[in-house]
Amino acid sequence: MRLIEFYQGRGLKIVKGEGQYVWDEQGNRYLDLHAGHGVAFLGHRNKIVLEYLQKQMSEIMTLTTAFDTPIREELAKELDNVKPDNLNNAFLLNSGSEAVELALKVSRKVTGRKKFVAFVNSFHGRTSGSLSVTWTRKYREPFEPLLGPIDFLRFNNIDDLKKIDESTAAVIVEPVQGEGGVIPANDEFMKGLREITTEKGIILIIDEVQSGFGRTGKIWAHQHFGIDPDIMTAGKAIGGGFPVSATFMPDWIAEKLGEGDHGTTYGGNPLAAAAVVGSIKALKADNVPEQAKVKGEMFIKMLQETLSDFKSIREVRGKGLMIGVDLKLNPGLAIKVLQDNRVLSLKAGVTTIRFLSPYTITHEDMEVAVDATRKGVLATERKTTSS
């Protein structure tokens, strides 16, 4: 049997993970700043998450949400510790794409409108609905027609917000664009977006699947701007490595939904609930958002100082431990050199090296990563010069 692969292989067989590190079958240790596309933000095999999963596995693993269970009751209480103030309702699913799908469906039902607005360089998933509001044409075009109508506006462009009209059901936005190149939103843009959607009765969906759960220095990245979403999607880090996502919404939206409007076989299952409970407890116990803020500022500064003399560097940018090194060249060789130096990273956009570090990263780890990045950029420049 051949397993279908949609990602290019990295040539490594990983057999173990612990904290911010993974090991290959030869016993070589790698600093994992890929972290499963950011999922392992709390570190591989976080002890509190493991404790909750192991306990739940000894009791019951599979149970539809039509039945009550103690772990879901505990989950509801723990979510109160991390949810945005205005979002009192959550529905658990399995992936970020599924969370976005529900957000889009709900927006259409609640507003009675059809159109969505998204942004250039956005990424919201690969299922048909979430793909519809994803910018990259190579992802969308083979599967069209998709959900529509969709308007794509320029990210961080306040003038483009004037194009949003009353036929719009929802605007969906990432507070930090991840796949698009690790591009943080600016304050004026996010506040302007909140203002115009409120004025026109449009639902504002904030996609926190990658940026959320402490990674940017606050529990949710939109909190940097002092605004409230109407719907928020979350995923990746909230399960501490277990596949789980959530769609959060306020009472006035949840009250308009009825039986059968959505459903899921695995969403909110006992293991998923246990993983989220463990993740929330880990987040609070170790003051993770503050650590991400401090370490992220340090990491960005180290990268900026070390790479400042390279002509191929366009910018080092990010928020907390969501960091991008944007080149004027293809970053593929640099990412390979990083891996050869036992640092795992991933690409974002067309030209950006992306680091999605676990919060457990140390200053020594950063020094290793910065040196490997320097070697990667140097190799890229030399190859370009010689070709």
Side-chain angles (χ1 to χ4, degrees):
M1 171 62 68
R2 183 177 68 88
L3 300 178
I4 296 173
E5 301 285 350
F6 289 115
Y7 294 104
Q8 184 176 356
R10 298 286 290 263
L12 284 181
K13 183 180 286 187
I14 301 298
V15 298
K16 178 185 174 183
E18 190 76 32
Q20 64 271 40
Y21 308 113
V22 294
W23 286 260
D24 66 17
E25 60 183 338
Q26 278 80 42
N28 298 311
R29 190 185 79 172
Y30 294 79
L31 175 61
D32 187 9
L33 307 187
H34 184 299
H37 294 98
V39 169
F41 174 57
L42 295 177
H44 291 282
R45 301 178 69 250
N46 180 281
K47 288 180 171 53
I48 300 177
V49 176
L50 277 183
E51 175 188 333
Y52 270 83
L53 282 171
Q54 289 166 346
K55 179 177 183 296
Q56 190 58 49
M57 287 176 70
S58 70
E59 295 169 353
I60 186 167
M61 293 170 56
T62 302
L63 187 71
T64 173
T65 55
F67 299 96
D68 296 331
T69 184
I71 192 61
R72 278 175 53 83
E73 293 172 1
E74 188 173 358
L75 170 68
K77 293 177 181 177
E78 288 299 328
L79 283 173
D80 278 334
N81 292 322
V82 295
K83 71 172 185 63
D85 290 340
N86 65 318
L87 305 184
N88 296 318
N89 307 270
F91 190 82
L92 265 63
L93 299 119
N94 309 289
S95 68
S97 291
E98 289 181 62
V100 171
E101 292 283 336
L102 177 56
L104 297 176
K105 285 178 64 176
V106 167
S107 298
R108 278 190 163 178
K109 177 172 184 181
V110 169
T111 64
R113 304 170 185 175
K114 303 300 181 187
K115 187 169 77 173
F116 295 105
V117 169
F119 294 94
V120 172
N121 292 322
S122 63
F123 183 87
H124 299 288
R126 300 180 192 267
T127 51
S128 292
S130 60
L131 185 58
S132 300
V133 290
T134 290
W135 164 252
T136 308
R137 288 182 173 85
K138 72 175 182 179
Y139 295 154
R140 283 190 287 115
E141 288 179 350
F143 308 104
E144 292 176 338
L146 295 165
L147 196 65
I150 310 289
D151 286 346
F152 286 100
L153 306 181
R154 289 173 293 177
F155 188 67
N156 275 339
N157 188 298
I158 195 74
D159 290 332
D160 265 20
L161 300 184
K162 299 171 185 175
K163 300 175 183 178
I164 299 172
D165 61 34
E166 284 84 354
S167 67
T168 305
V171 177
I172 183 166
V173 65
E174 301 158 271
V176 182
Q177 289 188 330
E179 176 74 17
V182 193
I183 306 169
N186 64 51
D187 194 67
E188 181 187 26
F189 174 76
M190 290 297 285
K191 287 180 176 175
L193 186 54
R194 177 66 282 183
E195 183 178 335
I196 198 165
T197 50
T198 300
E199 175 189 329
K200 297 181 183 295
I202 298 166
I203 289 177
L204 177 59
I205 304 169
I206 295 187
D207 183 345
E208 293 265 17
V209 170
Q210 188 171 139
S211 61
F213 210 67
R215 177 167 289 284
T216 68
K218 291 186 179 290
I219 296 179
W220 308 109
H222 71 265
Q223 292 169 332
H224 290 286
F225 309 104
I227 63 170
D228 294 320
D230 296 311
I231 298 177
M232 184 185 77
T233 60
K236 294 192 185 296
I238 70 167
F242 193 90
V244 58
S245 64
T247 304
F248 293 83
M249 62 192 75
D251 293 340
W252 69 268
I253 290 180
E255 288 165 357
K256 296 178 181 178
L257 304 180
E259 185 174 352
D261 278 347
H262 202 63
T264 173
T265 297
Y266 295 110
N269 69 76
L271 286 181
V276 175
V277 170
S279 295
I280 294 171
K281 287 186 176 293
L283 185 87
K284 306 300 282 188
D286 213 12
N287 198 6
V288 170
E290 180 62 21
Q291 289 204 50
K293 176 181 181 294
V294 172
K295 291 179 178 180
E297 290 172 353
M298 182 188 304
F299 198 179
I300 289 172
K301 183 179 180 182
M302 290 168 67
L303 286 164
Q304 288 172 336
E305 290 175 349
T306 299
L307 303 176
S308 61
D309 292 336
F310 285 94
K311 295 179 180 179
S312 64
I313 296 294
R314 184 177 286 116
E315 185 182 14
V316 177
R317 59 178 177 251
K319 202 83 169 172
L321 286 171
M322 190 172 179
I323 299 170
V325 178
D326 192 9
L327 307 180
K328 298 174 184 176
L329 305 167
N330 188 308
L333 177 59
I335 290 170
K336 181 183 183 303
V337 172
L338 274 155
Q339 180 171 308
D340 291 343
N341 284 269
R342 299 186 184 175
V343 178
L344 304 182
S345 62
L346 65 162
K347 186 178 178 181
V350 178
T351 58
T352 303
I353 304 167
R354 180 171 25 163
F355 297 126
L356 296 174
S357 169
Y359 87 95
T360 48
I361 189 172
T362 66
H363 187 271
E364 182 181 358
D365 293 329
M366 294 179 204
E367 290 178 333
V368 170
V370 169
D371 184 58
T373 306
R374 180 189 60 79
K375 291 176 181 176
V377 175
L378 181 61
T380 302
E381 287 191 352
R382 286 176 174 170
K383 180 182 179 183
T384 303
T385 303
S386 63
S387 61

